[in-house]
Amino acid sequence: MTQIKTDSTLDAKGLACPMPIVKTKKMITGMNAGEVLEVLATDKGSKADLKAWAESAGHQYLGTVEEEGVLKHYLRKASGEEVQEKKHPHVVSNEDLEKLVGEDGDIIVLDVRESAEFAFHHIPGAVSIPLGELEERAGELDVEAPVYVVCRTGSRSDLAARMLDAKGFKDVKNVIPGMSQWNGPSASMNQ
């Protein structure tokens, strides 16, 4: 295999969302424009997460190589600090979503966490499509229906909301702070 020259390496092995993105954001801030960062991760969802974050922050996602169960992600820092991270403009609180759950049969609650996260704690009736699968599975959703996107903290759901918006979905909202602080009705595979 070709050796890839990098300027810095970040070890994010064993960390789950949103920590690989949080640590990557902090590390890349201290780098010079044009430098390449290698991020080592074991979270399978980190590929989609880092790719989407890099694009939203204006950095270049170069690619990912998997070696012995470790994902090696390569990102190139954008030139100039003028790039501002984009955010989906339409957000609702957990409490606002809780009021709608069960009331309106026309809404879609889309959970973009990994399937294991969903299995142990989710909103009843939510549709599970992990962020890494959303690009190819978005067609399973009604483009005309209101879509409320949820993840653990609001980071992955923000990326997913922007993705759906770009695909022409009419009414997409990011739910914050997400499942980490969800107090409404919930379901689990253990129930």
Side-chain angles (χ1 to χ4, degrees):
M1 169 173 248
T2 305
Q3 180 68 25
I4 299 172
K5 183 188 176 308
T6 60
D7 299 287
S8 298
T9 298
L10 170 65
D11 186 351
K13 295 188 298 273
L15 300 177
C17 184
M19 292 313 296
I21 292 172
V22 170
K23 290 191 171 284
T24 299
K25 188 175 183 177
K26 185 176 181 180
M27 180 89 164
I28 212 163
T29 299
M31 295 175 64
N32 294 317
E35 289 185 334
V36 175
L37 173 64
E38 175 184 53
V39 180
L40 308 176
T42 50
D43 178 8
K44 298 295 182 197
S46 65
K47 181 176 181 180
D49 295 348
L50 285 169
K51 182 176 193 248
W53 172 80
E55 290 169 0
S56 74
H59 302 299
Q60 184 181 5
Y61 169 81
L62 301 172
T64 298
V65 176
E66 184 170 358
E67 289 181 1
E68 300 175 13
V70 175
L71 298 166
K72 295 180 174 185
H73 307 288
Y74 297 93
L75 305 155
R76 182 180 172 276
K77 183 172 179 172
S79 54
E81 292 295 321
E82 73 285 350
V83 176
Q84 288 211 339
E85 191 170 351
K86 299 177 192 115
K87 293 279 186 197
H88 186 69
H90 308 290
V91 297
V92 297
S93 69
N94 284 7
E95 294 76 21
D96 290 339
L97 179 59
E98 186 178 350
K99 290 174 191 167
L100 294 171
V101 171
E103 281 181 17
D104 187 351
D106 293 337
I107 72 165
I108 297 170
V109 177
L110 174 62
D111 192 321
V112 295
R113 297 174 299 151
E114 294 302 312
S115 58
E117 294 174 280
F118 180 84
F120 289 100
H121 180 230
H122 62 269
I123 298 169
V127 176
S128 174
I129 302 179
L131 179 62
E133 299 173 19
L134 187 57
E135 184 73 35
E136 57 224 30
R137 294 182 57 197
E140 296 175 22
L141 304 170
D142 181 354
V143 71
E144 299 293 330
V147 180
Y148 292 81
V149 190
V150 67
C151 71
R152 190 173 78 80
T153 62
S155 296
R156 285 176 281 184
S157 56
D158 178 73
L159 299 171
R162 285 187 278 126
M163 185 185 300
L164 291 175
D165 197 47
K167 288 184 169 293
F169 281 74
K170 307 288 185 230
D171 184 9
V172 182
K173 305 231 178 6
N174 181 22
V175 181
I176 53 174
M179 294 304 291
S180 64
Q181 295 181 38
W182 179 256
N183 295 318
S186 63
S188 166
M189 67 179 223
N190 292 331
Q191 293 176 331

